[in-house]
Amino acid sequence: EVAPIEQEAREPFTNGEIGALLAASAGTDWETAILVGAYGGLRIGDACNLKWEDVHLDAKIIEFIPQKTSRKKKRLRVPIHPTLQKHLEAIASRDSEKRSKFVCSVLAGQPAGGRAGLSRAFMDLMETAGVDNKATDKKEGLGRAFSRKSFHSLRHFAVTTLANLGIAQDVRQKIAGHADQKMTERYSHLHDETLRKAVEQMPDVRKSV
């Protein structure tokens, strides 16, 4: 899990950078995880361990318990963007008997951190795609290198894109699954259709490939 101080310093990917990442990961689980992160705002652990039972294609909703709040058993409902919907439908069309319970079967179960973890693997993918992680020599107070762009930048992309589209703050917080309980209660009345209309305004990042 990325420390709060690091999350604040992350920068969102551009459309072009996400397009490059999708091109470099085409046909792999990373392609799916990137689309889930960009359109759903899921963190790396949640995106890579998403289960098919949590994906409701008919309702165009992903409903899951984020790892960050798993002890509190709070389910988060995220609308599925048309681009992500099309991608997931293509994967779901495969023989269900041979399909893993995880959407990203190869990435599922792997640790997020460490030299062989998901975060490191994604950094390698960024390098392959020619996407600069904007690493600094040292994060103040931490004494080690810090990357301003990582998988978490997909989450920033989702929220930033919605903000630039003029989507109300409470709608953005609902989609992102804001951690503040008082804020959650404030916007809990929002309906799925309201959230879906907001998400559907996001651009098709595949056009940047």
Side-chain angles (χ1 to χ4, degrees):
E1 183 68 25
V2 180
I5 188 172
E6 295 186 5
Q7 290 182 2
E8 278 301 313
R10 298 297 183 195
E11 295 181 6
F13 287 123
T14 63
N15 286 11
E17 288 173 334
I18 295 179
L21 289 168
L22 289 172
S25 62
T28 72
D29 276 0
W30 277 118
E31 179 185 20
T32 302
I34 289 168
L35 288 172
V36 171
Y39 286 121
L42 274 67
R43 297 175 175 84
I44 191 168
D46 293 325
C48 294
N49 289 282
L50 184 66
K51 297 179 180 178
W52 280 111
E53 64 184 35
D54 297 329
V55 178
H56 308 285
L57 293 174
D58 290 341
K60 299 181 180 179
I61 286 288
I62 292 175
E63 185 174 10
F64 69 107
I65 300 176
Q67 294 180 355
K68 189 175 182 180
T69 60
S70 60
R71 293 182 180 179
K72 300 177 182 179
K73 303 297 181 182
K74 294 180 180 178
R75 300 191 70 81
L76 179 63
R77 293 172 64 86
V78 179
I80 301 177
H81 185 277
T83 299
L84 177 57
Q85 175 86 10
K86 183 177 181 179
H87 179 80
L88 292 175
E89 286 176 346
I91 299 176
S93 65
R94 301 170 186 169
D95 189 340
S96 60
E97 294 183 0
K98 298 179 180 179
R99 196 174 65 198
S100 166
K101 68 177 181 179
F102 295 101
V103 178
C104 299
S105 58
V106 176
L107 299 178
Q110 297 185 29
R115 294 183 177 180
L118 294 170
S119 295
R120 181 65 260 176
F122 184 76
M123 286 295 185
D124 291 340
L125 176 61
M126 287 177 60
E127 184 175 354
T128 299
V131 177
D132 186 2
N133 65 14
K134 294 188 176 182
T136 58
D137 292 334
K138 183 173 67 175
K139 176 66 179 177
E140 184 177 354
L142 297 181
R144 57 185 174 81
F146 175 79
S147 299
R148 292 191 177 278
K149 290 196 173 183
S150 68
F151 191 92
H152 204 76
S153 294
L154 292 166
R155 181 172 171 82
H156 282 262
F157 167 83
V159 177
T160 300
T161 299
L162 291 171
N164 289 335
L165 287 170
I167 304 302
Q169 182 180 19
D170 55 350
V171 177
R172 301 199 309 269
Q173 291 172 326
K174 179 68 172 180
I175 292 172
H178 200 281
D180 181 45
Q181 180 61 34
K182 292 182 179 179
M183 187 60 71
T184 300
E185 294 174 353
R186 175 182 173 185
Y187 55 72
S188 61
H189 65 282
L190 292 174
H191 298 297
D192 290 340
E193 187 62 24
T194 301
L195 304 180
R196 181 177 295 111
K197 287 180 179 179
V199 169
E200 288 180 349
Q201 292 185 55
M202 296 175 71
D204 185 350
V205 292
R206 286 196 176 281
K207 293 182 179 180
S208 299
V209 176

